[in-house]
Amino acid sequence: MNPALTQFGEQMSHLTGVRAIMKDIIETLRLSGDRDFINLSAGNPVILPEVEQLWRDCTQELLASSEYGEVVCRYGSSTGYQPLIDAVVDDYNQRYGLNLSDCNILITPGSQSLYFLAANALAGYTTSGQLKRIVLPLSPDYTGYGGVTLIPESLKAYQPKLDIDEAAHRFKYRPDFSQLNIDDTTGFVLFSRPCNPTGNVLTDDEVRKIAALADSHDVPVFVDSAYAPPFPSLNFTEMTPIFGRNIIHCTSLSKAGLPGERLGITLGDECVIRTLEAFLTNMCLHSSRYGQAIAARAIRSGRLATLSETVIRPYYQAKFNILQTALDAAMPKTLPWYLHNGEGAIFAWLWLNDLPMTDWEFYQELKQTGVIVVPGEPFFPGLQEEWSHKHQCFRISLTASDAELETAMQRLAGVAEKVYARG
């Protein structure tokens, strides 16, 4: 069959952003024959033995409990599995001195689905015909934000300021508050902290300033905390989750070793939570109750937060250190290359300033040496103005072995030297 698709059907059925690039990567690997590639494109977390054992233990506890049948064989509340909600409320209230109740919590099938709910409940066209925008206060940011809305024109991103340390070949993105506009046409604000793909962590003051700008217009601020404390705690620099009247804190258990269960946790204003819950009920009723039941045990016991700090964070921080050391040793000092400060997440972000070809073309040349990274252009969703910087960056996964990271950076440096020499 070849049924006619609606406008929304056409939009949602196309591969966009990194997903289109991943299709090329899958084809490359499938047709590679005996050739080995160092694949630094992966977004899947590494299966760490201690973390896997935690989820095995929690599963065994669930299997042995009297609640197993109730969890797996029954429908549940759209807000989430009550023992998980209670565990989250108790943990966050004790850890951060909050006063949350179960009315402030919504469990979703992953944080990506939450942004789809928010994008189509709070942004787009109102009943009076006004366009409400999703504002990304700085770009680049998570590529998935480009696919969450059914109204593409509702997504608006802002170009950041760049703090550059030329001698150290490092840089950092910062919000440009002279350009950032949040007003009555804003549906909500959205950003990740730590950031996928760059590892950038907005400062506490920057978050509070964004929240204050939004609060004056009664606009919610969604903070994507998929890499943040208390789990998976993939911040390599000191940071504190920021809470406030209009801040919706959105965490995920994917990088805490549970990506297959699609489990997101939303904390925030009761009115916003109830709106999102209604949308979720119409879409899929509720998230996986099995995943919620084992997550409740992991959080309640304190083991998840402890493993996040003692196993998950040190693992990826060590990988970043290996990558940056290898780059510093291999990249010519005379080239205008800059690595984003390693402040968190499971990726490194490399900027090749004045690159004499596009990021896609460089990606293709690097593939010829047996190394795969991800071109940066798809990580600028909603940034409408042309900016050469968008075609000069690359996301590099930290999920490879130490030796693979070192070899890959040496090969990348060799390609960069040749490309700049030709240019």
Side-chain angles (χ1 to χ4, degrees):
M1 292 181 64
N2 188 26
L5 298 178
T6 65
Q7 291 179 352
F8 292 153
E10 287 282 356
Q11 179 185 333
M12 299 302 287
S13 62
H14 290 161
L15 287 173
T16 58
V18 169
R19 291 164 185 83
I21 294 169
M22 291 306 296
K23 182 178 180 181
D24 178 79
I25 292 171
I26 291 169
E27 284 296 300
T28 298
L29 296 174
R30 185 177 67 84
L31 299 173
S32 63
D34 295 332
R35 186 180 183 187
D36 289 329
F37 280 90
I38 300 175
N39 185 1
L40 303 182
S41 69
N44 252 331
V46 174
I47 300 176
L48 302 174
E50 301 94 330
V51 179
E52 181 184 9
Q53 189 60 51
L54 167 65
W55 297 119
R56 286 181 179 273
D57 292 345
C58 292
T59 296
Q60 289 171 349
E61 291 172 18
L62 174 61
L63 286 171
S65 75
S66 59
E67 65 182 307
Y68 176 82
E70 188 68 25
V71 167
V72 176
C73 305
R74 308 283 293 181
Y75 292 117
S77 166
S78 295
T79 56
Y81 180 58
Q82 193 61 45
L84 173 58
I85 292 174
D86 292 342
V88 170
V89 167
D90 291 346
D91 185 276
Y92 275 75
N93 282 348
Q94 180 178 4
R95 191 181 300 274
Y96 300 116
L98 303 175
N99 190 31
L100 299 172
S101 74
D102 55 4
C103 296
N104 301 115
I105 309 295
L106 176 66
I107 309 300
T108 62
S111 55
Q112 175 81 8
S113 66
L114 168 67
Y115 308 128
F116 181 83
L117 303 179
N120 296 291
L122 302 173
Y125 290 98
T126 67
T127 53
S128 64
Q130 182 187 27
L131 178 63
K132 290 280 192 175
R133 294 187 181 276
I134 306 163
V135 169
L136 310 183
L138 76 168
S139 187
D141 210 326
Y142 177 48
T143 183
Y145 299 155
V148 295
T149 177
L150 297 173
I151 311 296
E153 62 268 29
S154 68
L155 189 63
K156 169 66 176 174
Y158 286 89
Q159 188 172 314
K161 289 182 176 180
L162 277 64
D163 280 357
I164 302 172
D165 185 340
E166 293 190 0
H169 291 276
R170 298 295 187 271
F171 81 111
K172 177 179 171 62
Y173 294 114
R174 294 193 182 277
D176 185 351
F177 287 101
S178 69
Q179 301 294 323
L180 178 60
N181 183 44
I182 300 171
D183 57 23
D184 292 337
T185 68
T186 306
F188 66 95
V189 179
L190 173 62
F191 56 87
S192 59
R193 182 180 187 250
C195 176
N196 171 5
T198 67
N200 190 32
V201 173
L202 270 66
T203 67
D204 292 359
D205 287 344
E206 287 168 342
V207 175
R208 291 191 180 100
K209 188 170 182 177
I210 291 170
L213 290 172
D215 194 35
S216 63
H217 298 280
D218 207 28
V219 169
V221 175
F222 285 73
V223 181
D224 182 346
S225 300
Y227 297 88
F231 29 78
S233 285
L234 275 165
N235 55 299
F236 308 153
T237 185
E238 283 296 320
M239 67 163 283
T240 305
I242 303 298
F243 301 91
R245 188 187 80 90
N246 65 325
I247 295 177
I248 313 298
H249 186 75
C250 317
T251 192
S252 164
L253 297 190
S254 291
K255 301 307 184 291
L258 209 59
E261 279 305 295
R262 312 308 305 127
L263 199 57
I265 302 170
T266 313
L267 308 89
D269 177 76
E270 181 179 354
C271 179
V272 176
I273 292 291
R274 293 290 79 82
T275 298
L276 298 175
E277 179 203 350
F279 208 122
L280 177 66
T281 304
N282 286 322
M283 186 173 75
C284 64
L285 193 58
H286 59 68
S287 180
S288 159
R289 280 166 60 82
Y290 161 75
Q292 293 184 71
I294 63 173
R297 287 166 165 77
I299 294 171
R300 176 71 71 185
S301 69
R303 289 180 65 191
L304 183 57
T306 298
L307 284 177
S308 294
E309 292 183 359
T310 61
V311 175
I312 300 176
R313 178 196 290 156
Y315 179 87
Y316 289 103
Q317 190 165 13
K319 293 292 185 182
F320 183 86
N321 289 336
I322 288 167
L323 179 141
Q324 69 175 346
T325 299
L327 270 179
D328 285 336
M331 288 288 278
K333 304 300 182 186
T334 55
L335 294 186
W337 65 274
Y338 302 97
L339 181 67
H340 194 284
N341 291 348
E343 298 177 339
I346 66 171
F347 306 106
W349 182 257
L350 180 66
W351 169 34
L352 301 180
N353 191 24
D354 296 326
L355 183 66
M357 59 171 52
T358 67
D359 54 338
W360 176 262
E361 292 167 337
F362 188 91
Y363 152 80
Q364 295 290 355
E365 289 219 13
L366 188 58
K367 274 200 311 185
Q368 300 307 309
T369 71
V371 176
I372 297 175
V373 297
V374 179
E377 192 273 335
F379 295 96
F380 294 83
L383 191 62
Q384 294 148 3
E385 62 269 25
E386 186 48 50
W387 186 26
S388 60
H389 183 86
K390 293 195 298 185
H391 307 286
Q392 299 171 349
C393 298
F394 303 88
R395 190 189 79 176
I396 305 171
S397 174
L398 301 176
T399 57
S401 71
D402 296 357
E404 286 175 326
L405 286 172
E406 290 174 346
T407 300
M409 294 307 98
Q410 291 164 5
R411 293 179 187 176
L412 187 151
V415 172
E417 190 169 15
K418 290 177 183 177
V419 164
Y420 277 101
R422 290 204 310 263

